[in-house]
Amino acid sequence: MPVMKGLLAPQNTFLDTIATRFDGTHSNFLLGNAQGHRGYPIVYCSDGFCELTGFTRTEVMQKNCSCHFLYGADTSEHVAQQMEKALEGREEYQAEVHFYKKNGVSFWCLLDIVPIKNEKGEMVLYLFSFKDISDTHGKGPHNSRKEDDKRLRRKSSSHYNEARKRGRTMLYQLTSHFSRGGKGETIVDKPSIPEYKVAAVHKSRFILLHYSVSKALWDWLILLATFYVAVTVPYSISFTSHDDIVKAARSTFISDIAVELLFIIDIILNFRTTYVSQSGQVVYEARSICIHYATTWFFVDLVAALPIDLLYVFNITVSSLVHLFKTIRLLRLLRLLQKLDRYSQYSAMVLTLLMSVFALLAHWMACIWYIIGQNEMEANETWDIGWLHELGKRLETPYINSSVGGPTVRSSYIAALYFTLSSLTSVGFGNVCANTDAEKIFSICTMLIGALMHALVFGNVTAIIQRMYSRRSLYHTRMKDLKDFIRVHSLPQQLKQRMLEYFQTTWSVNNGIDANELLHDFPDELRADIAMHLNKDILQLPVFKGASRGCLRSLSLHIKTSFCVPGEYLIRQGDALHANYFVCSGSLEVLKDSMVLAILGKGDLIGSDLPGTDQVIKTNADVKALTYCDLQYISLRGLREVLELYPEYGSVFTSDIHNNLTYNLREGSQDEYIKRQEKHKKLLCQPTIAHYSKC
């Protein structure tokens, strides 16, 4: 596939930032809706919080973010009131709280509440950070709630600052790259909190874009330098004696050092050049770029850039074999192969590269042909039948011995290149011929290579290009059709960008292959096994745990894949819901009247339960992509058909789907949820102080 720029649309990376920028101590957090009219419901729950408390994500979602479900007998009423007060006042708050896990085990937690704003300055979310401090809180017997309240009120300013330093470790790790503070900023200063908004990626001015014009020009310069090395290194090794190496090194000192400097600069630039990840997104982070380059081509580039010529320039006495180390620079040709896909996008460049490679091969074989002639003379000084002897006689510059006389280096190289080119393209003309056994063996190998090159490259160049670029040709054809469609209908720039990014991303995922069409002629048994493998993530959800293998195979045939770009609406409020969606990667937000009801991440299931009747399900909210999202979905119609075939599992699915949906989009489902919660409260709540905190 041709090299693409990558995915560049602005994204709302708030969830990814929160989830990935914690320090190594904990990653236990909740996100609460600060715009809720019925309390402050939880819109996101991290995996670390679930592991800490024992609650599942579906049990926590949409509960009040004051965390009443974590209260117990020893939870301080004063702290609970202060938390409610902080939420109502939209203020930051920190305290040490005695919470209880789902299994009833108590633990001390350092709670930190921070309000989050959007780009308009509006308070939209609350960030709740939970850090288990049971091991460091104290080893003595537990105090009562009243004693805890007194102890909290008596806490000195220095002790509070110490706790604040510990608790804000997460926030400072989280927001260090957002900070705009001055040099005098201390750890107890108010940190810069990331905003919940869509924003373009801001790269450093010291980061070089891999698709920029300057980088393309630099790559062409490096390509020329690579060919220079591929030509000069074999020539200097073959046609230059050890005594002349120092003179030759000094004569080409400027060009050789210039090439080595180019390679060294290229190494530095590669540490600051963006690249496209496997997911298709452009990576701008300097640390990720360094790791990627260091684990791929750094060693090859470093070895190829060793300044061996400096040994001769500074008159350092070295062995006669040291100049062979210059062949290490030929490793740079591996980089040419790695970037060949970029150069091969143009037909004229393909032909130029083919001819250049062929000429380079002839040059290398000419160098070997000259070395064979020299070794034949040195091994048998009485022989005068080698090709160099014959050339010297014809040019009237015969050899007196192996080191005196003979044709010039220029004439020898031209004759050697003439012989190898005539042997590669035909069978030679006989005016320069092989006489000794070694020369004849080399000639045989040259003619075999020439026949191979002629048959595979020159004779089938059209077929080779067609085979190599059949998929690329299809890509360019579809891309051209898409651009023509956009031009004919005068689509706006924003819609054009969304269409192009969707096409490029889906192509990068499936390479233009329609899986349904490809598997259409396969037997149902094999198609079901393939579908189960492709959709194993969604089939591992707890709601499908009780399904038989036959039921899972039937479900897998109804599962499809989808993709969303940032800012695209997956579902609109009031639309008919046709499928349940599983988030494979990326993050989305559930909106109603511009208010965030839930934030969805990897592993979340969103959709609807199945009512008893086959009625149309209307959605109660919008679902909008924050980042690039890969989704799997199963149509409600197909789901009903499978459940009718397996009625024993259908009843289990209907009762369990409520507990597995991260957010229920069915219209009226939230009112049903509130009624169930109020009914549950009435059963649990008693008019005693001991049970008040659990309500």
Side-chain angles (χ1 to χ4, degrees), residues 127-190:
L127 172 63
F128 282 70
S129 167
F130 300 83
K131 184 174 183 180
D132 189 353
I133 58 171
S134 301
D135 296 336
T136 60
H137 182 265
K139 304 300 182 181
H142 294 297
N143 299 327
S144 66
R145 282 202 308 270
K146 293 183 178 179
E147 292 173 346
D148 289 341
D149 294 345
K150 293 179 181 179
R151 179 180 55 80
L152 288 171
R153 292 189 181 99
R154 293 196 307 265
K155 189 177 291 186
S156 64
S157 176
S158 60
H159 180 74
Y160 178 77
N161 287 337
E162 185 66 26
R164 187 177 180 84
K165 290 179 182 179
R166 295 197 312 269
R168 288 305 171 89
T169 301
M170 178 274 296
L171 291 176
Y172 279 91
Q173 292 291 335
L174 172 66
T175 62
S176 59
H177 71 300
F178 292 96
S179 179
R180 298 292 184 270
K183 296 181 179 179
E185 188 178 78
T186 63
I187 195 167
V188 295
D189 292 333
K190 183 177 179 180

Side-chain angles (χ1 to χ4, degrees), residues 20 37 44 92 100-101 118-119 213 247 278 307-308 328 412 418 421 493 505 517 583 590 653 681 684:
T20 60
H37 301 294
Y44 186 80
E92 296 184 22
Y100 286 79
K101 300 181 180 180
N118 61 10
E119 67 272 20
V213 176
K247 298 179 180 178
Q278 293 182 351
I308 300 175
I328 296 175
S412 300
Y418 167 79
L421 276 174
Q493 179 64 28
T505 306
E517 181 181 352
V583 184
V590 181
F653 178 88
K681 280 186 177 182
L684 293 180

Side-chain angles (χ1 to χ4, degrees), residues 619-633:
T619 57
N620 57 22
D622 298 328
V623 180
K624 180 181 178 182
L626 297 176
T627 63
Y628 293 99
C629 301
D630 292 317
L631 305 166
Q632 290 181 317
Y633 66 92

Side-chain angles (χ1 to χ4, degrees), residues 480-497:
K480 186 178 183 300
D481 292 341
L482 182 60
K483 290 182 177 180
D484 289 342
F485 175 84
I486 293 172
R487 178 178 52 81
V488 169
H489 296 280
S490 302
L491 298 182
Q493 179 64 28
Q494 184 179 7
L495 194 57
K496 171 185 174 182
Q497 182 68 19

